[in-house]
Amino acid sequence: GRVAAAADDAPRPRPIKRRKWVMPVLLLAPTLALMLYAFILPLLTFMRFSFFRFQGGRLIEDFTFETYQRFLFEGYFRLIVFDTLRLAVYVTLLSVLVGYPLAYALWRINRPGLQRWLGLLIFSPILVSVVVRSYGWTVLLADQGPVNFFLEKLGIISEPLELVFNLTGVLISLTHVFLPFVVFPIFSTMVRLDPELNEAAKDLGANWWTTFRRITLPLTLPGLVAGAQICFTLSLGAFVTPAMLGGGRVLILPLQIYRATSD
């Protein structure tokens, strides 16, 4: 009897806990399903169609590698890939050259109210429709637009510059819209810097340039690299702005894909 009573009083084993990955997977399930439906499946569909030929906009069920042969070996497509990469590199470099000083200036402002307004101003291009923004740059950069007008009035140029329907206009517009994606990752790393590091450097006799080069820049490189990666990726997939400001003269891969699939 005592043995049975002791067995009844013994602590029962706890139910096995769910594995730690079950809850994260459940939380990510809606996002994963959306990505699968809106991103993965369209890519797989395009990949499937790439092995067939189209004639007059109609699919011909004839399995072939002709599309890949043309893309890899024809000079026209190599030129398109080169121009796409060149545009993405130029936009990224220009965004970094403008964005890092802008993020640094935003970080050095000691007035929170002014800092918030300037942050909103930097973020504002994303709030505007891409069509409206591209059309606005077309007007601003036109031969008789405000930019050429003020440059002529200041005596910097004697005749209007060709700033639209070429690579220059596309570069300016894309840099304008992708600038926030560079500024805010850099700014987020700057606000996490320990101010005692700069104070210690000054106490040791370091000037502003030495402090920036040895402390600020290395510690903000993760934000700089992240912003450059985002800008480069977005530039590779830009479509509306090159189509409107390029005037058909800027050959990039997204435009070529659209033309090839819409004919």
Side-chain angles (χ1 to χ4, degrees):
R2 294 181 179 180
V3 175
D8 294 336
D9 295 337
R12 298 180 179 180
R14 297 181 180 179
I16 301 175
K17 295 182 179 180
R18 295 181 178 179
R19 295 182 180 179
K20 295 181 179 180
W21 55 265
V22 174
M23 185 57 66
V25 169
L26 292 177
L27 294 175
L28 290 173
T31 302
L32 295 176
L34 180 61
M35 289 291 295
L36 177 65
Y37 177 77
F39 184 71
I40 303 299
L41 291 181
L43 285 180
L44 294 177
T45 302
F46 266 96
M47 182 175 292
R48 173 178 172 271
F49 287 158
S50 66
F51 292 101
F52 298 96
R53 293 188 298 109
F54 287 82
Q55 185 174 1
R58 300 180 60 183
L59 176 65
I60 300 177
E61 295 288 344
D62 185 13
F63 187 87
T64 178
F65 290 99
E66 179 183 354
T67 303
Y68 290 95
Q69 292 175 353
R70 293 177 56 195
F71 180 78
L72 293 175
F73 300 108
E74 289 189 8
Y76 174 73
F77 292 102
R78 287 200 297 267
L79 178 63
I80 290 177
V81 174
F82 174 76
D83 287 346
T84 304
L85 293 175
R86 182 181 62 169
L87 176 63
V89 170
Y90 285 170
V91 172
T92 303
L93 290 177
L94 188 57
S95 298
V96 168
L97 291 176
V98 177
Y100 196 96
L102 189 57
Y104 185 84
L106 187 64
W107 174 54
R108 298 296 296 177
I109 294 176
N110 295 323
R111 300 174 60 182
L114 180 60
Q115 192 178 66
R116 285 192 294 267
W117 280 108
L118 289 178
L120 179 61
L121 183 64
I122 297 171
F123 186 78
S124 61
I126 305 177
L127 304 178
V128 182
S129 169
V130 61
V131 177
V132 175
R133 185 175 57 248
S134 300
Y135 181 75
W137 276 112
T138 303
V139 175
L140 289 174
L141 300 176
D143 293 345
Q144 304 301 324
V147 175
N148 277 310
F149 174 79
F150 284 111
L151 290 177
E152 289 181 356
K153 289 298 182 180
L154 294 175
I156 300 176
I157 59 175
S158 58
E159 59 182 11
L161 299 175
E162 294 184 3
L163 300 176
V164 290
F165 307 132
N166 53 27
L167 182 63
T168 304
V170 177
L171 180 60
I172 294 174
S173 181
L174 289 181
T175 302
H176 171 245
V177 65
F178 294 151
L179 192 62
F181 296 99
V182 176
V183 172
F184 289 109
I186 299 174
F187 177 74
S188 64
T189 58
M190 288 182 174
V191 297
R192 292 197 297 267
L193 293 179
D194 189 354
E196 294 182 357
L197 295 176
N198 290 338
E199 295 178 359
K202 293 178 181 179
D203 293 339
L204 294 174
N207 56 20
W208 176 87
W209 171 245
T210 303
T211 303
F212 174 80
R213 180 171 55 89
R214 301 293 296 273
I215 297 177
T216 305
L217 182 60
L219 293 178
T220 56
L221 277 180
L224 177 61
V225 173
Q229 289 177 342
I230 296 173
C231 182
F232 183 80
T233 305
L234 294 176
S235 300
L236 288 177
F239 175 77
V240 176
T241 299
M244 295 184 64
L245 275 83
R249 302 178 183 176
V250 179
L251 300 176
I252 59 172
L253 200 55
L255 292 178
Q256 179 62 28
I257 294 174
Y258 172 75
R259 292 167 184 169
T261 55
S262 60
D263 291 339

